[in-house]
Coordinates of all heavy atoms in Angstrom, one line a residue:
M1 N 43.7 11.6 -50.9 CA 43.9 10.4 -51.6 C 42.7 9.7 -52.1 O 42.6 9.2 -53.2 CB 44.8 9.4 -50.7 CG 45.1 8.1 -51.4 SD 46.5 8.4 -52.6 CE 45.8 7.7 -54.0
A2 N 41.7 9.7 -51.2 CA 40.4 9.0 -51.5 C 39.7 9.6 -52.7 O 38.8 9.0 -53.2 CB 39.5 9.0 -50.2
E3 N 40.0 10.9 -53.0 CA 39.4 11.5 -54.2 C 40.0 11.2 -55.5 O 39.4 11.4 -56.6 CB 39.4 13.0 -54.0 CG 38.6 13.6 -52.8 CD 39.3 13.5 -51.5 OE1 40.6 13.5 -51.6 OE2 38.7 13.4 -50.5
L4 N 41.2 10.6 -55.5 CA 41.8 10.2 -56.8 C 41.0 9.0 -57.4 O 40.4 8.2 -56.8 CB 43.2 9.7 -56.6 CG 44.2 10.8 -56.1 CD1 45.6 10.1 -56.0 CD2 44.3 12.0 -57.1
V5 N 40.9 9.1 -58.7 CA 40.3 8.0 -59.5 C 41.3 7.0 -60.0 O 42.5 7.4 -60.2 CB 39.4 8.5 -60.6 CG1 38.3 9.4 -60.1 CG2 40.2 9.3 -61.6
P6 N 41.0 5.8 -60.3 CA 42.0 4.8 -60.8 C 42.7 5.4 -62.0 O 42.1 6.0 -62.9 CB 41.1 3.6 -61.2 CG 40.0 3.7 -60.2 CD 39.7 5.1 -60.1
G7 N 44.0 5.2 -62.0 CA 44.9 5.7 -63.0 C 45.5 7.1 -62.7 O 46.4 7.5 -63.4
E8 N 44.9 7.8 -61.8 CA 45.3 9.2 -61.5 C 46.5 9.1 -60.5 O 46.6 8.2 -59.6 CB 44.2 10.0 -60.9 CG 44.4 11.4 -60.8 CD 43.2 12.3 -60.4 OE1 42.2 11.7 -59.9 OE2 43.2 13.5 -60.6
R9 N 47.5 10.0 -60.7 CA 48.7 10.1 -59.8 C 48.7 11.4 -59.0 O 48.1 12.4 -59.4 CB 49.9 10.0 -60.7 CG 50.0 8.7 -61.4 CD 51.1 8.7 -62.4 NE 51.1 7.4 -63.1 CZ 52.0 6.9 -63.8 NH1 53.2 7.6 -63.9 NH2 51.9 5.8 -64.5
G10 N 49.5 11.3 -58.0 CA 49.7 12.5 -57.1 C 50.9 12.3 -56.3 O 51.6 11.3 -56.3
E11 N 51.2 13.4 -55.5 CA 52.3 13.4 -54.6 C 51.7 13.6 -53.2 O 50.9 14.5 -53.0 CB 53.3 14.5 -54.9 CG 54.4 14.6 -54.0 CD 55.4 15.7 -54.4 OE1 55.5 16.0 -55.6 OE2 56.0 16.3 -53.5
I12 N 52.2 12.8 -52.2 CA 51.7 12.9 -50.9 C 52.2 14.3 -50.3 O 53.4 14.5 -50.3 CB 52.2 11.7 -50.0 CG1 51.6 10.4 -50.6 CG2 51.8 11.9 -48.6 CD1 52.2 9.2 -49.9
L13 N 51.3 15.0 -49.7 CA 51.7 16.3 -49.1 C 51.8 16.1 -47.6 O 52.8 16.6 -47.0 CB 50.6 17.3 -49.3 CG 50.4 17.8 -50.8 CD1 49.3 18.8 -50.8 CD2 51.7 18.4 -51.3
R14 N 50.8 15.4 -47.0 CA 50.9 15.1 -45.5 C 49.9 14.1 -45.2 O 49.0 13.7 -46.0 CB 50.6 16.4 -44.7 CG 49.2 17.0 -45.0 CD 49.0 18.3 -44.2 NE 47.8 18.9 -44.7 CZ 46.6 18.7 -44.3 NH1 46.4 17.8 -43.3 NH2 45.5 19.3 -44.8
L15 N 50.0 13.5 -44.0 CA 49.1 12.6 -43.4 C 48.6 13.2 -42.1 O 49.3 13.9 -41.4 CB 49.8 11.2 -43.1 CG 50.3 10.5 -44.3 CD1 51.7 10.9 -44.7 CD2 50.2 9.0 -44.1
D16 N 47.3 12.9 -41.8 CA 46.8 13.4 -40.5 C 45.9 12.3 -39.9 O 45.5 11.4 -40.5 CB 46.1 14.7 -40.7 CG 44.8 14.6 -41.5 OD1 44.4 13.5 -41.9 OD2 44.3 15.7 -41.8
G17 N 45.6 12.6 -38.6 CA 44.7 11.7 -37.9 C 45.4 11.0 -36.8 O 46.4 11.5 -36.2
D18 N 44.8 9.8 -36.4 CA 45.4 9.0 -35.3 C 46.8 8.7 -35.5 O 47.2 8.1 -36.5 CB 44.5 7.7 -35.2 CG 44.9 6.9 -34.0 OD1 46.1 6.9 -33.6 OD2 44.0 6.2 -33.5
P19 N 47.7 9.1 -34.5 CA 49.1 8.8 -34.7 C 49.5 7.3 -34.9 O 50.4 7.0 -35.7 CB 49.8 9.3 -33.4 CG 48.8 10.2 -32.8 CD 47.4 9.8 -33.3
V20 N 48.7 6.4 -34.4 CA 49.0 5.0 -34.6 C 48.8 4.6 -36.1 O 49.6 4.0 -36.7 CB 48.1 4.1 -33.7 CG1 48.3 2.6 -34.0 CG2 48.4 4.4 -32.2
I21 N 47.7 5.1 -36.6 CA 47.4 4.8 -38.0 C 48.3 5.6 -39.0 O 48.8 5.0 -39.9 CB 45.9 5.2 -38.4 CG1 45.0 4.3 -37.6 CG2 45.6 5.1 -39.9 CD1 43.5 4.7 -37.7
V22 N 48.6 6.8 -38.6 CA 49.6 7.6 -39.4 C 51.0 6.9 -39.4 O 51.6 6.7 -40.5 CB 49.7 9.0 -39.0 CG1 50.9 9.7 -39.6 CG2 48.4 9.8 -39.2
G23 N 51.4 6.4 -38.3 CA 52.6 5.6 -38.2 C 52.6 4.4 -39.0 O 53.6 4.1 -39.7
R24 N 51.5 3.7 -39.0 CA 51.4 2.4 -39.8 C 51.5 2.8 -41.3 O 52.2 2.1 -42.1 CB 50.1 1.7 -39.5 CG 49.9 0.5 -40.4 CD 48.6 -0.2 -40.1 NE 48.3 -1.2 -41.1 CZ 47.8 -1.1 -42.3 NH1 47.4 0.1 -42.6 NH2 47.6 -2.1 -43.1
L25 N 50.8 3.8 -41.7 CA 50.9 4.2 -43.1 C 52.3 4.6 -43.5 O 52.8 4.3 -44.6 CB 49.9 5.4 -43.4 CG 48.4 5.0 -43.2 CD1 47.6 6.3 -43.3 CD2 48.0 4.0 -44.3
M26 N 53.0 5.3 -42.6 CA 54.4 5.8 -42.9 C 55.3 4.6 -43.0 O 56.2 4.5 -43.8 CB 54.8 6.8 -41.9 CG 54.1 8.1 -42.0 SD 54.6 9.4 -40.9 CE 56.0 10.0 -41.7
E27 N 55.1 3.5 -42.2 CA 55.9 2.3 -42.3 C 55.7 1.6 -43.6 O 56.6 0.9 -44.1 CB 55.5 1.3 -41.1 CG 55.9 1.8 -39.8 CD 55.4 0.9 -38.7 OE1 54.6 0.0 -38.9 OE2 55.8 1.2 -37.5
L28 N 54.5 1.8 -44.2 CA 54.3 1.2 -45.5 C 54.9 2.0 -46.7 O 54.8 1.7 -47.8 CB 52.7 1.1 -45.8 CG 52.0 0.1 -44.9 CD1 50.5 0.3 -45.1 CD2 52.4 -1.3 -45.2
G29 N 55.5 3.2 -46.3 CA 56.2 4.0 -47.3 C 55.4 5.2 -47.8 O 55.8 5.9 -48.7
L30 N 54.2 5.4 -47.1 CA 53.4 6.6 -47.5 C 53.9 7.8 -46.7 O 53.3 8.1 -45.7 CB 51.9 6.2 -47.2 CG 51.4 5.1 -48.0 CD1 50.2 4.5 -47.4 CD2 51.1 5.5 -49.4
V31 N 54.9 8.4 -47.2 CA 55.5 9.6 -46.5 C 55.4 10.8 -47.5 O 55.4 10.6 -48.7 CB 57.0 9.3 -46.1 CG1 57.0 8.2 -45.1 CG2 57.8 8.9 -47.3
P32 N 55.4 12.0 -46.9 CA 55.3 13.2 -47.7 C 56.4 13.2 -48.8 O 57.6 12.8 -48.6 CB 55.5 14.3 -46.7 CG 55.0 13.8 -45.5 CD 55.4 12.3 -45.5
G33 N 56.1 13.6 -50.0 CA 57.0 13.7 -51.1 C 57.0 12.5 -52.0 O 57.5 12.5 -53.1
T34 N 56.3 11.4 -51.6 CA 56.2 10.2 -52.4 C 55.2 10.3 -53.5 O 54.1 10.8 -53.3 CB 55.8 9.0 -51.5 OG1 56.8 8.9 -50.4 CG2 55.8 7.7 -52.2
Q35 N 55.6 9.9 -54.7 CA 54.7 9.8 -55.8 C 53.8 8.6 -55.7 O 54.3 7.5 -55.3 CB 55.5 9.7 -57.2 CG 56.4 10.9 -57.4 CD 55.7 12.2 -57.6 OE1 54.7 12.2 -58.3 NE2 56.2 13.2 -56.9
I36 N 52.5 8.7 -55.9 CA 51.6 7.6 -55.7 C 50.6 7.6 -56.8 O 50.3 8.6 -57.4 CB 50.9 7.8 -54.3 CG1 50.2 6.6 -53.8 CG2 50.1 9.1 -54.3 CD1 49.8 6.7 -52.4
E37 N 50.1 6.4 -57.1 CA 49.0 6.2 -58.1 C 47.9 5.4 -57.5 O 48.1 4.4 -56.9 CB 49.6 5.5 -59.3 CG 48.6 5.2 -60.4 CD 49.2 4.4 -61.6 OE1 50.4 4.3 -61.7 OE2 48.4 3.9 -62.4
M38 N 46.7 5.8 -57.8 CA 45.5 5.1 -57.4 C 45.3 4.0 -58.5 O 45.1 4.4 -59.7 CB 44.3 6.0 -57.4 CG 42.9 5.2 -57.2 SD 42.8 4.4 -55.6 CE 42.3 5.9 -54.6
V39 N 45.5 2.8 -58.2 CA 45.4 1.7 -59.2 C 43.9 1.2 -59.4 O 43.5 1.2 -60.5 CB 46.3 0.5 -58.7 CG1 46.1 -0.7 -59.7 CG2 47.7 0.9 -58.6
R40 N 43.3 0.9 -58.3 CA 41.9 0.5 -58.4 C 41.2 0.5 -57.1 O 41.8 0.5 -56.0 CB 41.8 -0.9 -59.0 CG 42.2 -2.0 -58.1 CD 42.1 -3.4 -58.8 NE 43.5 -3.9 -58.9 CZ 43.9 -4.7 -59.8 NH1 43.0 -5.1 -60.7 NH2 45.1 -5.1 -59.9
L41 N 39.9 0.5 -57.2 CA 39.0 0.4 -56.0 C 38.3 -1.0 -56.0 O 38.0 -1.5 -57.1 CB 37.9 1.4 -56.0 CG 38.4 2.9 -56.2 CD1 37.1 3.8 -56.4 CD2 39.0 3.3 -54.9
A42 N 38.1 -1.6 -54.9 CA 37.4 -2.8 -54.8 C 35.9 -2.5 -55.2 O 35.5 -1.3 -55.2 CB 37.4 -3.4 -53.3
P43 N 35.1 -3.5 -55.6 CA 33.8 -3.3 -56.1 C 32.9 -2.4 -55.3 O 32.1 -1.6 -55.8 CB 33.2 -4.7 -56.3 CG 34.4 -5.5 -56.5 CD 35.5 -4.9 -55.7
L44 N 33.0 -2.5 -54.0 CA 32.2 -1.6 -53.1 C 33.0 -0.4 -52.6 O 32.6 0.3 -51.7 CB 31.7 -2.4 -51.9 CG 30.8 -3.6 -52.2 CD1 30.4 -4.3 -51.0 CD2 29.5 -3.0 -53.0
G45 N 34.2 -0.2 -53.2 CA 35.0 1.0 -52.9 C 36.0 0.9 -51.8 O 36.6 1.9 -51.4
D46 N 36.1 -0.3 -51.2 CA 37.0 -0.5 -50.1 C 37.4 -1.9 -50.1 O 36.6 -2.8 -50.1 CB 36.2 -0.2 -48.8 CG 37.1 0.1 -47.6 OD1 38.3 0.5 -47.8 OD2 36.6 -0.1 -46.5
P47 N 38.7 -2.2 -50.1 CA 39.9 -1.3 -49.9 C 40.2 -0.7 -51.3 O 39.6 -0.9 -52.3 CB 41.0 -2.2 -49.4 CG 40.7 -3.5 -50.1 CD 39.1 -3.6 -50.1
V48 N 41.3 0.1 -51.2 CA 41.9 0.7 -52.4 C 43.3 0.2 -52.6 O 44.0 -0.1 -51.7 CB 41.9 2.3 -52.3 CG1 40.5 2.8 -52.1 CG2 42.8 2.7 -51.2
E49 N 43.6 0.0 -53.9 CA 45.0 -0.4 -54.3 C 45.8 0.7 -54.7 O 45.3 1.5 -55.6 CB 44.9 -1.5 -55.3 CG 46.3 -2.1 -55.7 CD 46.3 -3.2 -56.7 OE1 45.2 -3.7 -57.0 OE2 47.3 -3.4 -57.3
L50 N 47.0 0.9 -54.2 CA 47.8 2.0 -54.5 C 49.2 1.5 -55.0 O 49.6 0.4 -54.7 CB 48.1 2.9 -53.3 CG 46.9 3.3 -52.5 CD1 47.4 4.0 -51.2 CD2 46.1 4.3 -53.3
K51 N 49.8 2.3 -55.9 CA 51.2 1.9 -56.3 C 52.1 3.0 -55.9 O 51.8 4.2 -56.2 CB 51.2 1.7 -57.9 CG 52.6 1.4 -58.4 CD 52.5 1.2 -59.9 CE 53.9 0.9 -60.4 NZ 53.9 0.9 -61.9
L52 N 53.2 2.7 -55.3 CA 54.2 3.6 -54.9 C 55.6 2.9 -55.0 O 55.7 1.7 -54.5 CB 54.0 4.3 -53.6 CG 53.9 3.4 -52.4 CD1 54.5 4.1 -51.2 CD2 52.5 3.0 -52.1
R53 N 56.6 3.5 -55.5 CA 57.9 3.0 -55.6 C 57.9 1.5 -56.1 O 58.5 0.6 -55.6 CB 58.6 3.0 -54.2 CG 58.7 4.3 -53.6 CD 59.6 4.3 -52.3 NE 59.6 5.6 -51.8 CZ 59.1 6.0 -50.6 NH1 58.5 5.1 -49.8 NH2 59.2 7.2 -50.2
D54 N 57.1 1.3 -57.2 CA 57.1 0.0 -57.9 C 56.5 -1.1 -57.0 O 56.7 -2.3 -57.3 CB 58.4 -0.4 -58.5 CG 58.9 0.5 -59.6 OD1 58.0 1.1 -60.3 OD2 60.1 0.8 -59.7
I55 N 55.8 -0.8 -56.0 CA 55.1 -1.8 -55.2 C 53.6 -1.5 -55.2 O 53.2 -0.3 -55.3 CB 55.6 -2.0 -53.8 CG1 55.5 -0.7 -53.0 CG2 57.1 -2.5 -53.8 CD1 55.7 -0.9 -51.5
H56 N 52.8 -2.5 -55.0 CA 51.3 -2.3 -54.8 C 50.9 -2.6 -53.4 O 51.4 -3.6 -52.9 CB 50.6 -3.2 -55.8 CG 50.7 -2.8 -57.2 ND1 49.7 -2.4 -58.0 CD2 51.8 -2.8 -58.0 CE1 50.1 -2.1 -59.2 NE2 51.4 -2.4 -59.3
I57 N 50.1 -1.8 -52.8 CA 49.6 -2.0 -51.5 C 48.1 -1.7 -51.5 O 47.6 -1.0 -52.3 CB 50.3 -1.2 -50.4 CG1 50.0 0.3 -50.6 CG2 51.8 -1.5 -50.3 CD1 50.5 1.2 -49.4
S58 N 47.4 -2.4 -50.6 CA 46.0 -2.1 -50.4 C 45.7 -1.6 -49.0 O 46.3 -2.2 -48.0 CB 45.2 -3.4 -50.6 OG 45.2 -3.8 -52.0
I59 N 45.0 -0.6 -48.9 CA 44.6 0.0 -47.6 C 43.1 0.3 -47.6 O 42.5 0.4 -48.6 CB 45.4 1.2 -47.3 CG1 45.2 2.4 -48.3 CG2 46.9 0.9 -47.1 CD1 45.8 3.7 -47.9
R60 N 42.6 0.5 -46.4 CA 41.2 0.8 -46.3 C 41.0 2.2 -46.8 O 41.8 3.1 -46.7 CB 40.8 0.8 -44.8 CG 40.8 -0.6 -44.2 CD 40.3 -0.6 -42.8 NE 40.5 -1.9 -42.2 CZ 41.5 -2.2 -41.3 NH1 42.3 -1.3 -40.9 NH2 41.6 -3.4 -40.8
R61 N 39.7 2.4 -47.3 CA 39.4 3.8 -47.8 C 39.5 4.8 -46.6 O 39.9 5.9 -46.8 CB 38.0 3.8 -48.4 CG 37.7 5.0 -49.1 CD 36.4 4.8 -49.9 NE 36.1 5.9 -50.8 CZ 36.6 6.1 -52.0 NH1 37.4 5.2 -52.5 NH2 36.4 7.2 -52.7
S62 N 39.1 4.4 -45.4 CA 39.2 5.3 -44.3 C 40.7 5.7 -44.0 O 41.0 6.9 -43.6 CB 38.6 4.7 -43.0 OG 39.3 3.6 -42.7
E63 N 41.6 4.8 -44.3 CA 43.0 5.1 -44.1 C 43.5 6.1 -45.3 O 44.2 7.0 -45.0 CB 43.9 3.9 -44.1 CG 43.6 3.0 -42.9 CD 44.2 1.6 -43.0 OE1 44.4 1.1 -44.1 OE2 44.6 1.1 -41.9
A64 N 43.0 5.8 -46.5 CA 43.4 6.6 -47.6 C 42.9 8.0 -47.4 O 43.5 9.0 -47.9 CB 42.8 6.0 -48.9
S65 N 41.8 8.2 -46.7 CA 41.3 9.6 -46.5 C 42.2 10.4 -45.6 O 42.0 11.6 -45.6 CB 39.8 9.5 -45.9 OG 39.9 9.0 -44.6
R66 N 43.1 9.8 -44.9 CA 44.0 10.5 -44.1 C 45.3 11.0 -44.8 O 46.1 11.7 -44.3 CB 44.5 9.6 -42.9 CG 43.3 9.2 -42.0 CD 43.8 8.2 -41.0 NE 42.6 7.7 -40.3 CZ 42.2 8.2 -39.2 NH1 42.7 9.3 -38.7 NH2 41.1 7.7 -38.6
I67 N 45.4 10.6 -46.1 CA 46.5 10.9 -46.9 C 46.1 12.1 -47.8 O 45.2 12.0 -48.7 CB 47.0 9.7 -47.8 CG1 47.3 8.5 -46.9 CG2 48.2 10.1 -48.6 CD1 47.4 7.2 -47.7
H68 N 46.8 13.2 -47.7 CA 46.5 14.4 -48.5 C 47.5 14.5 -49.6 O 48.7 14.4 -49.4 CB 46.6 15.7 -47.7 CG 45.6 15.6 -46.6 ND1 44.3 16.1 -46.7 CD2 45.6 15.2 -45.3 CE1 43.6 15.9 -45.6 NE2 44.4 15.4 -44.7
V69 N 47.0 14.5 -50.9 CA 47.9 14.5 -52.1 C 47.5 15.7 -52.9 O 46.4 16.2 -52.9 CB 47.7 13.2 -52.9 CG1 48.1 12.0 -52.0 CG2 46.3 13.0 -53.4
V70 N 48.5 16.0 -53.8 CA 48.2 17.0 -54.9 C 48.3 16.2 -56.1 O 49.3 15.4 -56.3 CB 49.2 18.2 -54.8 CG1 50.6 17.7 -54.9 CG2 48.9 19.2 -55.9
A71 N 47.3 16.3 -57.0 CA 47.2 15.5 -58.2 C 48.3 16.0 -59.2 O 48.6 17.2 -59.3 CB 45.9 15.6 -58.9
R72 N 48.9 15.1 -59.9 CA 50.0 15.4 -60.9 C 49.6 14.9 -62.2 O 49.0 14.0 -62.5 CB 51.3 14.7 -60.5 CG 51.8 15.1 -59.2 CD 52.6 16.4 -59.3 NE 53.1 16.8 -57.9 CZ 53.4 18.0 -57.6 NH1 53.3 18.9 -58.4 NH2 53.8 18.3 -56.4

């Protein structure tokens, strides 16, 4: 996910890493099969704003790096 540029879309393939963080991301709706768009990066690159299911969320770049997507 962290490699997507603003405006680019993808589909979540899987999440990995600390189970607590993965669980938090999944509670936010970041689950495999979800279509996602990188909306923007903060000026220093952290946090990142994502759009999924018509909602916008912001997460840390370190959290975004745990989300594996295939670009669409």
Side-chain angles (χ1 to χ4, degrees):
M1 181 77 234
E3 292 83 24
L4 294 181
V5 297
E8 195 170 14
R9 296 175 185 195
E11 179 179 328
I12 298 174
L13 295 177
R14 63 183 167 83
L15 294 89
D16 65 9
D18 183 328
V20 173
I21 294 172
V22 169
R24 178 182 172 271
L25 294 172
M26 292 181 81
E27 288 174 355
L28 292 172
L30 296 161
V31 295
T34 302
Q35 301 295 315
I36 193 167
E37 177 182 347
M38 172 68 78
V39 177
R40 74 180 112 207
L41 304 169
L44 296 177
D46 198 23
V48 299
E49 182 179 343
L50 310 173
K51 180 180 178 185
L52 60 146
R53 298 187 183 116
D54 293 328
I55 62 168
H56 291 246
I57 63 171
S58 292
I59 61 174
R60 294 181 186 107
R61 192 168 185 86
S62 62
E63 295 169 331
S65 69
R66 299 171 187 273
I67 304 167
H68 299 272
V69 300
V70 58
R72 300 276 179 204

